[in-house]
């Protein structure tokens, strides 16, 4: 006798088969079978010596064209000009050799002292250069701007300071925010309106343009808006591990608090917060600022921030010091007291001239190259030294007390910003020190002639002239 289960089973199986999803037919490409021949690993017979195996004896040597002075057996340490050399080689005098494989020609041309370092380089010196152009760009909303940064993540030696290059298009905002680090800024191009408030409820607003500086202490909230054609500016923070991603934002302050809490805090209906941003705005387009700044000059009972504690300084209007080989402008807490621990010099160096050999006894130096091409030899004590090449957009970092110079090796002026973490901009001039040392001590130490010692300047020159012409030999 057939049980009920035996009777029902064929019907259940038929129903399940009809209900199962049918896979769509595979396309011709998906069903194609690829035939792979050979083995991914070679035969064991290729191990070791075998006279029957073919052997390539040909060794291709590159055609070498040397830069001026590159073949000298005892080079004076000048920087080679590889701009017209098709395939620069790491050769200096009798040292070095050719590259017989891959060669980054553009990198070799822009960094001649890395490819063929002077004989004075010695030992291991940490990397002290970072091209900001290699930094990852963070893009704002609706083509409103961007930023890119340098910190210890890309330049580990730079422990005391970090930098950010930021662009705001016309009308765009860097949204209301604050940091755990102090923010020192130099306007590179265009103009901006900056606004802030201190812990006393005193307010601040100003329009700044190319060459001007601002500073916001840690924890002080502020905003930045591009004017007219927008702006680009350089930010320097007093913390080498600083990251733009760790900035405190007003948009996220609202988004990360319950609306009930916001309503209670501001004494407003909950519905007022229905359209707040869901998260970070960062850089975004906004309503163009009114031309008349007074229309946005909001003050409360505490009034405005006193002038002596102003968050801006119109450095663009300062006349530079005229040096023998360029110009120098210095800003520090003596004229800009709110930036109590920031000091900076903006230096121009004419072709062939150089920022004299010096060191900073009170601070590391964070530098940014705005134009031209330069090289720096950094003496790091213990017999170690290394020469680096810098171009526009490069960041340099030199630890405290390490001696260095900045030599213009190009055909255009070098413009470089030097930033210190110090109340005053201080440096020790090697030439001035020797000039103010008893001549006999200098002669006994360095074997310099009396004439050479007497020609040393007792006044700090900052930027010295180009190459000294060779001494003429009188006719017999």
């Amino acid at each position: 006798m057939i049980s009920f289960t035996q009777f029902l089973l064929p019907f259940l199986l038929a129903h399940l088969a009809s209900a199962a999803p049918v896979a769509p037919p595979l396309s011709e490409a998906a069903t194609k079978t690829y035939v792979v021949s050979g083995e991914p690993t070679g035969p064991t017979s290729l191990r070791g010596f075998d006279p029957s195996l073919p052997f390539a004896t040909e060794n291709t040597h590159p055609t070498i064209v040397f830069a001026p002075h590159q073949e000298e057996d005892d080079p004076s340490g000048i920087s080679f000009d590889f701009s017209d050399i098709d395939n620069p080689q790491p050769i200096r005098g009798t040292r070095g050799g050719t590259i017989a494989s891959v060669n980054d020609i553009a990198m070799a041309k822009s960094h001649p002292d890395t490819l063929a370092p002077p004989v004075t380089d010695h030992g291991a010196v940490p990397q002290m250069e970072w091209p900001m152009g290699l930094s990852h760009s963070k893009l704002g909303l609706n083509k409103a701007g961007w930023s890119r940064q340098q910190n210890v993540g890309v330049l580990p030696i730079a422990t005391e300071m970090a930098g950010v290059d930021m662009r705001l298009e016309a009308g765009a905002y860097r949204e209301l925010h604050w940091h755990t680090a102090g923010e020192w800024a130099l306007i590179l191009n265009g103009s901006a309106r900056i606004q802030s408030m201190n812990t006393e409820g005193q307010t601040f607003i100003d329009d700044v343009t190319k060459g001007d500086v601002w500073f916001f202490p840690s924890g002080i909230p502020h905003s930045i808006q591009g004017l007219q054609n927008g702006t680009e500016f350089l930010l320097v923070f007093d913390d080498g591990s600083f990251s733009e991603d760790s900035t405190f934002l007003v948009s996220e302050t609202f988004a990360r608090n319950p609306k009930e809490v916001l309503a209670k805090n501001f004494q407003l209906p909950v519905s007022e917060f229905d359209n707040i941003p869901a998260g970070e705005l960062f850089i975004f387009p906004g309503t163009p600022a009114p031309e008349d700044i007074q229309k946005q000059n909001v003050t409360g009972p505490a009034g405005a921030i006193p002038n002596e504690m102003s968050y801006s300084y119109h450095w663009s209007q300062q006349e530079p010091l005229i040096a023998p080989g360029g110009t120098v402008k210095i800003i520090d807490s003596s004229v800009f007291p709110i930036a109590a621990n920031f000091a900076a010099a903006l230096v121009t160096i004419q072709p062939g001239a150089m920022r004299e050999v010096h060191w900073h006894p009170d601070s590391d130096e964070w530098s940014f190259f705005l134009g031209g091409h330069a090289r720096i030899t950094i003496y790091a004590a213990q017999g170690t030294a290394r020469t680096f090449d810098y171009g526009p957009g490069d960041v340099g970092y030199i630890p405290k007390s390490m001696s260095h110079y900045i030599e213009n090796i190009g055909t255009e002026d070098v413009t470089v910003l030097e930033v210190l973490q110090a109340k005053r901009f201080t440096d020790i001039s090697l030439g001035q020190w020797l000039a103010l040392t008893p001549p006999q001590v200098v002669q006994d130490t360095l074997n310099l002639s009396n004439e050479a010692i007497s020609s040393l300047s007792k006044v700090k020159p900052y930027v010295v002239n180009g190459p000294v012409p060779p001494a003429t030999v009188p006719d017999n």
Side-chain angles (χ1 to χ4, degrees):
M1 181 175 180
I2 300 176
S3 68
F4 179 76
T5 302
Q6 290 174 318
F7 172 78
L8 189 60
L9 182 61
F11 296 98
L12 290 172
L13 293 175
H15 174 72
L16 290 173
S18 63
V22 178
L26 295 175
S27 66
E28 181 180 352
T31 59
K32 184 176 181 180
T33 300
Y34 292 91
V35 178
V36 180
S37 63
E39 294 292 336
T41 58
T44 59
S45 60
L46 296 181
R47 286 199 299 259
F49 174 73
D50 186 339
S52 66
L53 294 177
F55 182 70
T57 58
E58 182 180 357
N59 186 11
T60 303
H61 287 277
T63 301
I64 303 174
V65 178
F66 291 104
H69 308 291
Q70 190 176 357
E71 292 183 276
E72 295 179 5
D73 287 334
D74 188 21
S76 60
I78 63 172
S79 182
F80 300 140
D81 183 1
F82 287 144
S83 57
D84 294 327
I85 307 299
D86 291 336
N87 190 12
Q89 298 296 318
I91 296 174
R92 185 179 282 265
T94 58
R95 299 184 303 136
T98 60
I99 297 175
S101 59
V102 293
N103 188 10
D104 188 331
I105 303 299
M107 184 67 71
K109 288 186 175 185
S110 62
H111 292 73
D113 292 287
T114 297
L115 183 72
V119 69
T120 47
D121 280 15
H122 185 264
V125 174
Q127 181 67 28
M128 298 192 189
E129 176 194 7
W130 175 257
M132 194 69 87
L134 287 180
S135 294
H136 182 266
S137 294
K138 184 176 182 179
L139 306 182
L141 302 175
N142 297 323
K143 301 179 181 177
W146 51 264
S147 75
R148 52 192 179 185
Q149 67 182 4
Q150 163 276 317
N151 56 25
V152 291
V154 295
L155 192 60
I157 191 68
T159 57
E160 297 298 315
M161 286 170 276
V164 173
D165 181 14
M166 184 173 290
R167 166 68 171 165
L168 302 179
E169 299 291 349
Y173 290 103
R174 173 63 170 103
E175 72 161 292
L176 294 156
H177 66 284
W178 67 97
H179 314 282
T180 57
E183 174 187 296
W184 189 95
L186 173 68
I187 298 277
L188 303 178
N189 210 336
S191 57
R193 181 163 293 171
I194 54 177
Q195 175 275 334
S196 185
M197 182 197 75
N198 65 14
T199 56
E200 307 302 316
Q202 296 171 319
T203 56
F204 169 85
I205 191 168
D206 194 16
D207 288 344
V208 286
T209 190
K210 181 179 179 180
D212 290 343
V213 168
W214 76 67
F215 178 77
F216 294 117
S218 62
I220 294 298
H222 54 281
S223 67
I224 311 160
Q225 184 175 23
L227 301 176
Q228 284 99 27
N229 296 319
T231 184
E232 185 175 344
F233 46 87
L234 186 68
L235 303 172
V236 185
F237 294 90
D238 54 9
D239 178 1
S241 61
F242 172 84
S243 172
E244 272 286 278
D245 294 329
S246 62
T247 297
F248 295 93
L249 306 172
V250 72
S251 59
E252 288 195 331
T253 305
F254 273 64
R256 305 308 168 205
N257 277 292
K259 291 182 181 180
E260 180 270 336
V261 171
L262 294 175
K264 187 179 297 183
N265 184 79
F266 295 106
Q267 295 293 286
L268 293 170
V270 173
S271 60
E272 289 291 337
F273 305 98
D274 288 345
N275 297 317
I276 60 174
E280 177 187 60
L281 292 176
F282 178 50
I283 294 173
F284 65 100
T287 304
E291 186 173 342
D292 183 3
I293 194 173
Q294 292 299 330
K295 294 181 178 180
Q296 292 189 321
N297 188 15
V298 180
T299 57
I305 290 176
N307 177 266
E308 62 269 19
M309 297 306 290
S310 173
Y311 291 143
S312 65
Y313 186 85
H314 294 270
W315 205 21
S316 62
Q317 303 304 306
Q318 179 180 325
E319 292 296 326
L321 168 72
I322 306 300
T327 64
V328 180
K329 289 202 305 184
I330 290 176
I331 182 174
D332 58 26
S333 64
S334 64
V335 294
F336 193 32
I338 191 66
N341 204 40
F342 271 89
L346 188 63
V347 183
T348 62
I349 306 167
Q350 297 166 358
M354 75 177 203
R355 172 84 161 90
E356 63 169 336
V357 178
H358 66 283
W359 59 91
H360 302 286
D362 301 321
S363 171
D364 293 0
E365 174 188 322
W366 187 96
S367 55
F368 188 80
F369 286 80
L370 301 170
H373 291 85
R375 71 167 179 169
I376 299 177
T377 294
I378 299 170
Y379 165 54
Q382 297 181 326
T384 60
R386 183 175 171 187
T387 304
F388 298 87
D389 298 288
Y390 298 86
D394 285 351
V395 173
Y397 195 87
I398 305 169
K400 180 169 60 177
S401 294
M402 292 188 182
S403 76
H404 57 283
Y405 61 83
I406 307 174
E407 182 185 15
N408 187 335
I409 59 174
T411 58
E412 301 175 349
D413 283 357
V414 165
T415 304
V416 58
L417 175 72
E418 303 176 23
V419 181
L420 309 180
Q421 282 289 286
K423 294 183 182 301
R424 298 287 187 270
F425 189 90
T426 59
D427 64 6
I428 297 292
S429 162
L430 177 61
Q432 184 187 34
W433 175 41
L434 295 179
L436 296 175
T437 299
Q440 191 61 57
V441 176
V442 177
Q443 188 176 55
D444 290 346
T445 304
L446 297 174
N447 297 322
L448 297 178
S449 67
N450 289 328
E451 292 76 16
I453 295 172
S454 63
S455 70
L456 298 174
S457 175
K458 293 181 171 65
V459 177
K460 186 185 299 183
Y462 289 102
V463 184
V464 296
N465 276 320
V468 177
T472 57
V473 179
D475 295 333
N476 294 329

